[in-house]
Amino acid sequence: GNLWEDRDIDVDHKTTEWTPQHDLYSDRESFIIGLEHQRNLIKSLSSEIPVDVIYIPGNHDTIRLQALSDAMHLYFSWTNNVHVDREPMSRKYMRRGNTTIGRQHGDGIKNKQIPLTMMQETRIGKHNYMYQWHVHQKKKEEFGNIIIETLGSPAFASDWESSNWRTQRGKLEWQLFDKNKWKIAEFIQ
């Protein structure tokens, strides 16, 4: 669910949710790779524009993601151009003009429950989006003025996904919002 997808793995090679994993690198090596990748990406972006970095724990990476978000918070605490939201909440919202943008991992709530949950947790706008990534497959649903988009994974299909007939090539996605309008562009690489 992040630009760097990692998992908390125990000695039996299972995540915190007991999903079997086959990793190429040790826990420390994969953490350092992810840390350096995110640091370099955020540095590059923040040299041009203000950057909000929002971390949301998933169902397999809670421990490492908290460590990564704490490290990024400490690294960028010296700059006013980068804000790191490292609170371990399952859903987060930001408001830009008359648009509300929500993010969640997506494993704890059904899509049809999202509109009511958004209205209870935040002030919704004229245009409302909830982005999630739990199922790793690109999908879009609309409920009135609330659009729910499930993003694809930046990682290639895992062994489990491949064995369940899900194949995918890793893709990164960006959404561009105008502060006075709504989503004006989407980029998929």
Side-chain angles (χ1 to χ4, degrees), residues 91-150:
R91 265 180 308 286
K92 297 180 181 181
Y93 302 95
M94 65 182 354
R95 183 110 170 149
R96 296 293 186 261
N98 59 5
T99 300
T100 299
I101 305 164
R103 290 176 178 81
Q104 68 172 2
H105 180 260
D107 64 328
I109 185 172
K110 303 286 184 203
N111 283 3
K112 65 184 178 185
Q113 298 169 306
I114 290 174
L116 179 59
T117 301
M118 284 182 77
M119 287 186 273
Q120 291 170 338
E121 293 180 344
T122 192
R123 193 180 72 161
I124 64 169
K126 183 176 180 183
H127 310 283
N128 304 282
Y129 298 86
M130 176 61 77
Y131 291 98
Q132 58 188 5
W133 45 86
H134 176 66
V135 295
H136 301 210
Q137 298 287 322
K138 183 114 175 109
K139 187 168 78 170
K140 180 177 175 180
E141 287 186 75
E142 293 188 35
F143 295 89
N145 68 338
I146 297 175
I147 297 172
I148 301 165
E149 289 194 56
T150 302

